Amino acid sequence: MSTQGYEEELRSERGYVADLYARLDAERARVKGEFDAALLGNGGTAVERDVEVRTRAKEMKRLDVADNGLCFGRLDSLDDERSYIGRIGIFDEDDEYEPLLLDWRAPAARPFYVATGATPENMRRRRQFHARGRRIVEFTDEVLGRPSGEERGDAALLAAVNAPRGAGMRDIVATIQGEQDEIIRLDHSGVLVIEGGPGTGKTVVALHRVAYLLYTQRERMERHGVLVVGPNPEFLTYIGRVLPSLGESDVVFMTAGDLLPGLRVTAEDVPEVVRRKGSLAMLDVLAAAVAARQRVPEEPLPVQLGGTAQRITADVAEWAREEARSSGLPHNEARAVFAEIITYVLTERALSRIARGWPGGDDRVTRERLKAELLAELAGDEAFTAALDELWPVLTPEDVLAGLYSSPERLRAAGADPSLLRADGAAWTVSDVPLLDELVDLLGRDKAAEERAARAAERERAAEAEYASDVMDQLTGRQDSMDDEDHLYATDLLGAADLANRFVEHDTRDLAERAAADREWTYRHVVVDEAQELSEMDWRVLMRRCPSRSFTVVGDLAQRRSEAGATSWGAMLEPYVPGRWAYRSLTVNYRTPAEIMNVAAALLAEFAPDGKPPESVRSCGVEPWSRKVTADELPAVVEEFVRDEAGRDGTSVVIGPPEVPGAVPAADTKGLEYDAVLVVDPERILADGPRGAAELYVALTRATQRLGVLHTGSLPPALSGLAERDGSA
């Protein structure tokens, strides 16, 4: 294309995209008007108005995120039909809803990502726009259909991967590659495992798959939302903007430690304890720990009933316990069965003694009256309630697990390993979360407490409605006594019933807020990142959260650090979804340049010889280096690195032992990426437990441009390929 032709084409494209933005602004104004009207509360119930407000707010958010990079490309077919590709779909309402902009997830947009020179997908040309704000700066064309043509998007892709990193992960909607697009659009209703080495984009592919599923299955998925589980809060913050940037907000982000609402993790387990807590063998331990709290008395427990001295004996309690256990009910709900048997025995024995001293004591009506009186007496008897609490207490998960951990005797009785003993039984760790969650089901609900809470809530609602009615009476009285032309009161806008209805509590939180706070919430789809770290017990929690078993599982077995984590995807998943899980791998490294990946690959070959490192798509021209320093020199050299990187664009990190100023552990950088990385004391990282090599592999593969290694001892042999610097370098 000549320079003049290019400039004319550029002006044309700028005009087309400007029209798209004008239509976007008009749609945004329309939705904003509907949102404002919903806020005024005209018509419908309070709940209906709140739904309308949330719906319009969500639509406004979707339109707002589309403002950034609204249109990023164009496809020209062999029939000279043009299709513009962007973040959302825009249609011409005056021309039978002709598509002016295709949503990137629409089937018609797929050739933009998968067409190649060899397989052009009936396309003649692919055009990629480069924009600054709302203005197209330039475009690049790729002519398709030539046998010698290269894979699409090389220029755009390399520009993206070479760009300085920011604070958060960016979406790849404009540069999705063929193997990534195949996974994003895969039609599979069960569990999809996406495995890939560092830098292959497995996380961002999983997030784009969520956006695609929400687009294609909106009605099915929207009411329940999507759960994304990541390894740590920093990682979730890093990836947190990707889905909102694609217009999706019905997503809950959690770590494994957040899966039980209200629990606060304050401690950390050693690797051996993590392994034991993560094993399914803990199911037997938990069941035994609960059973141990279902007791029979060593000595009979006295109960006064109807003026007679009764006792709860061991044989009666044993009968009641067996009946309660055989009911199949959770512990707290089975207490009613236990209490029923004890009550039956005590009242029958009391009746027999009382009836002997009553004229006509054998009369059925008399016995029924007496029995009713005895039952009422027992219900209010504190000694009887205390006896039930001793033999079959109402328990919480925290009661059971804290009591187990802090007692050598209880650990022994439950068949648990002594390593689980700790001084503070309630110092919760991430590994305790699945155990506590399991206990929620083992124990069941305290229905009596729930009924009391429900009655209290009903009384509160009634009081609020009565208060609202009083307010309306006062407002109406004041309005009637004044000139209508001079005064405007709340009654001019809403009626008494309307105001009273607003005092009745209803849930105004959005889906993500409600789901995150509700342990009983079930999701339509779950994404699990760094899934190789999850234990068998962790998977039980997640399967409970998603009864439909619709998962996108992301991980790399070679990077597993946890002693309780996966060594095989099949071993973890087959018990839950036999024959319903699919495996896909990503083989291309878009993040780590070849110079750095060569160093990491040498380490991988040493600790995981069967692992295959991903192939880097680029070189950066900067060789990674190492430098030996003394312990005294180390702080100054680290400070020098931080100072130098502060003057560059992008991000940097120091990874190393906690005593190094400003350093973070390798585990905290999983899934993250930085322009520059300084790894300190790799020999100490290797020595940190059996999975130290995996941690060092993670540390080495975080950099997108520059990697340096400082060592105070001998450099590990696997890193011998690093260029050694001296202090003057």
Side-chain angles (χ1 to χ4, degrees), residues 188 216 252 291 314 320 397 410 430 484 553 610 627 691:
H188 181 72
T216 56
V252 178
R410 284 181 173 168
V430 172
D484 289 343
V553 175
D610 294 334
R627 177 179 170 186
R691 300 302 300 176

Side-chain angles (χ1 to χ4, degrees), residues 277-412:
K277 288 183 179 180
S279 168
L280 291 180
M282 285 300 297
L283 294 174
D284 292 334
V285 172
L286 296 177
V290 173
R293 306 294 287 269
Q294 302 162 355
R295 300 178 54 250
V296 296
E298 295 180 3
E299 298 292 336
L301 300 176
V303 176
Q304 292 293 321
L305 183 58
T308 67
Q310 300 297 325
R311 300 186 305 166
I312 303 175
T313 58
D315 61 327
V316 170
E318 180 62 34
W319 174 32
R321 183 169 68 174
E322 290 304 312
E323 290 291 333
R325 288 177 175 175
S326 63
S327 70
L329 294 171
H331 169 87
N332 288 334
E333 296 170 34
R335 173 183 163 112
V337 178
F338 181 84
E340 183 180 19
I341 299 296
I342 301 292
T343 299
Y344 168 78
V345 172
L346 293 180
T347 54
E348 286 298 315
R349 289 178 177 176
L351 270 174
S352 297
R353 294 182 59 181
I354 294 170
R356 286 198 294 268
W358 278 56
D362 293 331
D363 178 69
R364 182 177 62 84
V365 175
T366 302
R367 287 181 64 88
E368 288 180 356
R369 179 174 59 80
L370 285 173
K371 188 167 186 176
E373 292 174 356
L374 294 175
L375 290 173
E377 183 180 342
L378 273 182
D381 190 289
E382 294 182 0
F384 178 65
T385 301
L388 290 180
D389 289 341
E390 180 181 343
L391 301 178
W392 198 287
V394 173
L395 298 172
T396 67
E398 292 81 2
D399 290 335
V400 175
L401 207 55
L404 179 69
Y405 289 155
S406 58
S407 168
E409 294 77 17
R410 284 181 173 168
L411 286 171
R412 188 164 49 250

Side-chain angles (χ1 to χ4, degrees), residues 682-695:
E683 63 275 22
R684 291 183 59 184
I685 297 176
L686 279 173
D688 183 20
R691 300 302 300 176
E695 285 223 339

Side-chain angles (χ1 to χ4, degrees), residues 268-284:
E268 185 175 351
D269 287 319
V270 298
E272 175 59 21
V273 172
V274 170
R275 184 181 68 81
R276 293 190 180 280
K277 288 183 179 180
S279 168
L280 291 180
M282 285 300 297
L283 294 174
D284 292 334

